[in-house]
Amino acid sequence: MPAVGAPPTCHARIMTCRPEEPDGPDETLALAKVVARLREELARAKHDSAEAALVERATGVLMGSAGLPAGQAYGALAAAAERHGRSLVDECSAVLAHPPGAEPARARVGRDGIGTDTPHAADGERSAPDRSRRERARRERLDGVPTPGPPERVVIPRGLARTLAQVRSAQGAAAGLRRHLGAAAGVDCVLIYGAAAGGGMDLWGDAGLEPGLAEQWRHVPPGVPVAPLRALETGRPVWLADAAEDADRYALIGGPGRWRSRAWLPCPAPRAPGASVGFLRGSAEPFDRATRDLLHHAARLCGAALVALPAPASAGDAEAATAQRLLDALPGSVILLTPVTGAAGRVEDFRVDAASPGALDVSGRRGKELVGQYVLESYPTVLGTPLWHGYLDALESGTPYEGEPFRYEEVAVGPPRHSTFSVRAVPLGRRLVVSWLRHDPGEREALRLADLQRLGGLGWGRWDPATGGAEWSDQAYAIFRREPSQGPISLEDLPGHLVPADGPEVAGAVDRLLREAVPFDLRARVATPAGVRHVRVVAEAVADATGRPVELHGLFQDLTRQQHAEDELLRSERAVAHQHGLLQAERALASRLQHALLPIPEQSLRLAGLDVGVAYSPSEDGVNVGGDWYSAIELPDGRALFVVGDVAGHGLDAVATMAQLRFSAKGMIITGSPLVEALQRLNTLLLHTGDVRFGTATMIMAVYDPVERCLTWAQAGHPPPLLIRDGRAHYLDRPAGVLLGATARPRFAEARYRLRRGDQILLYTDGLVEKPAEHLDEGLARLAETAAEICTPGAPDPLGALLAPLLGHVARRDDTCVVHIRLP
């Protein structure tokens, strides 16, 4: 991308484009090559001089302490490095951290809990009677160790100095410190704060801090009491090991319970008044003397690394901070450019003040490593090109600039590389939001592969059994919820990161892979800080001629969502099966109870001179048993009683209510109660009956007197009887009546109708006439028409012939009960 700088390493490159002048390409290209060579030489010289200065300081320490000549002191350093199995730079760092023969320094603790690296007073002074026991206990708690006794020798983690010498941002420095000090000092989180231009402090780099918490503490306004500011103002370290007491003095990042011991140490920085680095631990143990000395040494190395880096943009810039939060959620390469103007007010350069995590320049800088870089300082050949003029025009006119794809030559010492880019710049106030797309086939394939891994939850790993080296893809770190600064997990250590129950199986598979090159494909549960992840692990080996593995390849697939979906589906299936079993059992019980209470005769009945047919048809949903019922009996005085009812609802409750109403109705009529009085009592019974209170039901009751051939009937919200006479069918006029259980003061009335020879009466429930998405009147009309055609005087089985067309082609959702009465 043509708007960001070259790296401060020996691999510096410049990306050039051809200016508009026709006679300038050769001169511009030559200039770019010269600049690239000079930058590479400068970067190499800086790197070599930094290491040389470190070696010279350590050599001087040996010369002064051991009285050795310079040559012998250097030889002693080289021999010690070989004996200890570490680089010369690391050996020099260890010597500087703990010079041979020097008196061990102890931290003096003042009243405010701030420590300094000055020696303690003499032993006699330490034991003076004026020092109280309480003060001595307080000192021991804050120091982390009792006052008397020499400190342990500092053990410098291998590679710490080299790592910090090669970082390219404060973020990288924080990650390097956490990676090397995690095991050596129990450090869980590293924060680097620098003084903000307008007061307060800005978070320059962090490792081990959640993005949301980092954003919350990105800028600390002036006046907020925080330990990093205290360390920066006093120039002395702050040791915190009592969360309750510390919370009274300072605003603690993450709250007092997150990190129970903290250390903040000042370190030099590229902008006055400087920076401070914090080491946060989840352990409540105080920092012992050796750990304090190690952190002092690490802070000095961090300060030296920060000196060579550009100062990050101030988090106090609200617009840049807002843009950074927005860019953090965007894919691809997007940056925020701020114009840098000269004395005349003309734009002389652009500075990168925010960058998306995926922003990548040709030198390998990514994301926040780009922040603070200047366009023309790193890419001088951009000046005067269409891209430069496009930036200026967009800034001045407020119109977005979108250039055509153009070719850049990435000039480095050696063969040049050519890349094609498309750049778009959109004004944002007095700034530009710049995005770019690299059209190189290899770059596109890499982006597609990264997107494929991200969308598919796939990550890859590569291990070298001979050297112990390993490499992971970015998505592999995401699957394991592991920061790249922690490095990849070796195959031998992989079982230790799994749920204990899955460890032995994976350990055996890894052992066979390393010894016999036997591939494996397993599913395991990975224990991560964010919870258990379900991961498929596939690995194979590339063997030499003897069958010994020389390279190992692996694939990780995140199956957590799939596993959660499978678990949820299994739970749902079990719940459905359980519920289905309960429903089937309830239906079977209700069906048996219904058949016991409501027997259906196999042939027509003869009651009071009438031929009576009964039919009952259950619903077709196969789940619930309804509350439809009938009663047809001959009374003691020779009359006949016909009752058809329908209880609202289904299941055991409906069957129980049906039985209660059926037997109560028959009992009342047999004992001489009139129809209206019987309905009123049944209504009261339904309103005030225990578990089925507030249930409702419809009912029709009819009494036939054979002497007068008169049918007396009453109804409670039920469909009217259907009379078939002389080939025609019509419904009898309904007397007054409402649902049983609907009101405490119902009104019922009777109606009388005299029958003739050959008349037929149908009493039925609403299941015979109801149909989905159809008005009830349509169903009643269909029943009357069908009955007029089928229920003729000579029909042998009129009821069966009637039900076949009415129920045969309708998906019935309710039970149906029909009583057919015929006067011969």
Side-chain angles (χ1 to χ4, degrees), residues 194-204 218-220 271 310-322 324 336 338 351-354 371-372 431:
M201 305 196 74
D202 290 336
L203 180 61
W204 287 2
R218 181 70 57 192
H219 176 70
V220 180
R271 298 289 187 272
S314 174
D317 185 345
E319 188 174 272
T322 301
Q324 183 61 65
L336 177 70
T338 300
R351 183 184 66 247
V352 182
D353 278 349
V371 176
R431 307 188 188 199

Side-chain angles (χ1 to χ4, degrees), residues 10-21:
C10 60
H11 302 292
R13 295 179 178 177
I14 297 180
M15 186 160 53
T16 64
C17 63
R18 303 188 182 276
E20 295 174 339
E21 294 77 359

